[in-house]
Amino acid sequence: MSVSDDGEDIVSVEDLSVTYRSVYGPIKALGGINLKVKRGESVSIVGESGSGKSTLGLATVHLLPQNASYTGGRLMLDGKDVATMHGRELMAMRGNTAFMIFQDPLNTLNPVSRIDAQMLEAVRSRAKHDNTSFNQEEALKEAVQKLEDVRMPDPASIIRRYPHQLSGGQIQRVVIAMGLLMRPKLMIADEPTSALDVTVQAQVLKLLRELQREYNMSIIFITHDINVAYGISDRIVVMYAGEVVESGPSDKMTKNAQHPYAQALIKSVPTTTKKQGRLTAISGSPPNMLNPPSGCRFHPRCPYVMNVCTTTSPKETIKDGDAVRCWLYG
Ligand SMILES: Nc1ncnc2c1ncn2[C@@H]1O[C@H](COP(=O)(O)OP(=O)(O)OP(=O)(O)O)[C@@H](O)[C@H]1O
Ligand SMILES: [Mg+2]
């Protein structure tokens, strides 16, 4: 699928590769990735551990670790080529265009600074970026308002605390509120609820979905759990071994996935969306990314494997509105 920039897309990725240098040799964590996220759209990235979900999230905001490089293709964020950004442009992009929420939100906050100070700093940085004046009293009001927007109980008291005086769910809400202060066009959330207990998880997911609509933000949501993806996203992108194997509308992906890996992923988790037979584990193990299988990377685990799959990597084809990368449809 060719990706064009028609101004409608906040994220537009074309044939992207990212490679890590390691003592054992290069690890091509992403290869031939095509992806579009429209303005105001929520897209989930789903896949097993090591499939490249976090790498894709980090690449989107140019936060890749030192030993990683963009090795091919193009990643446009709000119409700008991310790989070529540096210095001030990069700082301005993070926060003002895209804001990333991590699994462990404590790392985003400064442990020795009160929440109010950190939120005021976010407003100050935005004012600097927008070349507008900064008024402490108004900024504080806005910060409290954002804490109310993230349904934080008693925000006036919470804002005077230090991070260690808050629960995990409260911290994640503070981080989201700080993100909202920056008025980003895109929020990227990398497993933002996996460190929280199930009830709080559900509350934070519901909150993100509501905020996405209230603020007309785009969301890239990274998760292992296809049920979570279904609940929060308009579209689901399934990754396997550094490649997108299928993407399509959430409803269709959960009820009628085409790619054998996407089908297996759905069969391997209990679902609340349809009647389902026995749950089955995906046989075999994820590939060694230092030496991935030739041809289709899923072929050693695929129940429908054909000769061509072992030698030649399938191209992306459009099947019933889904983009699928599989010889069964090629
Ligand atoms: N800093 C790094 N140095 C070398 N290799 C890395 C580094 N970070 C990730 N990788 C490798 O890149 C591949 C993709 O990793 P990534 O963290 O993007 O996967 P993931 O889908 O987010 O997994 P998880 O679900 O466990 O978070 C893996 O093979 C991983 O071992
Ligand atoms: Mg990850």
Side-chain angles (χ1 to χ4, degrees):
M1 186 174 53
S2 157
V3 180
S4 64
D5 299 311
D6 50 14
E8 276 288 294
D9 301 317
I10 181 77
V11 177
S12 166
V13 181
E14 194 169 359
D15 202 21
L16 180 75
S17 304
V18 168
T19 306
Y20 289 102
R21 290 175 298 282
S22 84
V23 285
Y24 307 104
I27 299 171
K28 198 168 171 185
L30 299 179
I33 301 277
N34 292 327
L35 174 75
K36 275 183 171 196
V37 180
K38 289 198 183 66
R39 286 178 197 274
E41 186 184 35
S42 166
V43 172
S44 278
I45 316 267
V46 194
E48 282 171 302
S49 186
S51 56
K53 306 181 296 296
S54 295
T55 304
L56 183 54
L58 294 169
T60 308
V61 286
H62 206 313
L63 269 179
L64 289 167
Q66 285 282 330
N67 65 328
S69 0
Y70 297 91
T71 40
R74 207 171 58 137
L75 197 160
M76 305 293 283
L77 178 63
D78 202 19
K80 290 191 185 132
D81 187 342
V82 173
T84 62
M85 283 186 188
H86 50 262
R88 277 188 185 192
E89 198 184 10
L90 210 52
M91 295 298 286
M93 174 272 283
R94 290 188 203 129
N96 293 294
T97 306
F99 183 83
M100 187 143 179
I101 307 169
F102 296 95
Q103 178 175 356
D104 183 0
L106 257 185
N107 288 337
T108 310
L109 297 180
N110 180 347
V112 296
S113 168
R114 268 178 17 181
I115 304 300
D116 48 7
Q118 302 192 50
M119 291 186 86
L120 287 180
E121 200 40 53
V123 182
R124 202 189 309 270
S125 134
R126 184 191 76 205
K128 201 168 158 201
H129 174 261
D130 297 348
N131 237 336
T132 52
S133 62
F134 172 81
N135 175 309
Q136 177 134 339
E137 211 171 308
E138 278 171 24
L140 201 57
K141 263 193 206 152
E142 193 185 344
V144 171
Q145 178 61 50
K146 287 292 176 283
L147 288 176
E148 276 171 17
D149 286 359
V150 299
R151 332 292 186 238
M152 182 77 92
D154 197 9
S157 134
I158 293 278
I159 203 167
R160 289 200 298 270
R161 297 194 196 167
Y162 287 90
H164 72 265
Q165 295 172 316
L166 303 178
S167 72
Q170 286 172 327
I171 288 173
Q172 202 54 294
R173 277 169 208 262
V174 167
V175 171
I176 296 169
M178 282 181 55
L180 293 177
L181 279 176
M182 310 295 282
R183 301 184 190 139
K185 295 174 183 165
L186 169 71
M187 264 205 195
I188 302 176
D190 189 351
E191 307 263 7
T193 58
S194 51
L196 306 173
D197 71 58
V198 184
T199 340
V200 184
Q201 241 178 47
Q203 289 167 359
V204 172
L205 291 174
K206 182 165 166 274
L207 172 68
L208 280 173
R209 188 64 163 156
E210 287 167 2
L211 292 174
Q212 179 232 338
R213 290 178 179 143
E214 268 168 47
Y215 283 78
N216 192 30
M217 265 184 320
S218 308
I219 291 196
I220 294 180
F221 193 85
I222 296 172
T223 175
H224 285 93
D225 188 335
I226 197 143
N227 281 330
V228 167
Y230 175 79
I232 199 168
S233 290
D234 307 308
R235 248 168 1 100
I236 294 178
V237 173
V238 178
M239 289 188 67
Y240 185 79
E243 297 176 342
V244 171
V245 294
E246 183 169 352
S247 64
S250 301
D251 199 42
K252 194 153 173 298
M253 289 291 285
T254 41
K255 292 193 179 114
N256 192 19
Q258 316 279 327
H259 194 283
Y261 174 68
Q263 291 172 350
L265 197 65
I266 288 156
K267 278 200 204 131
S268 69
V269 290
T271 166
T272 48
T273 59
K274 63 170 182 182
K275 272 187 118 172
Q276 192 178 32
R278 282 167 66 99
L279 294 179
T280 40
I282 303 175
S283 64
S285 42
N288 170 5
M289 292 298 285
L290 279 164
N291 186 17
S294 58
C296 169
R297 291 184 167 183
F298 187 58
H299 87 255
R301 300 171 76 184
C302 183
Y304 310 105
V305 62
M306 304 175 284
N307 280 341
V308 64
C309 310
T310 63
T311 55
T312 319
S313 181
K315 295 257 175 305
E316 214 168 43
T317 42
I318 306 294
K319 168 95 171 56
D320 301 337
D322 286 14
V324 57
R325 195 188 266 264
C326 175
W327 282 115
L328 288 173
Y329 312 103

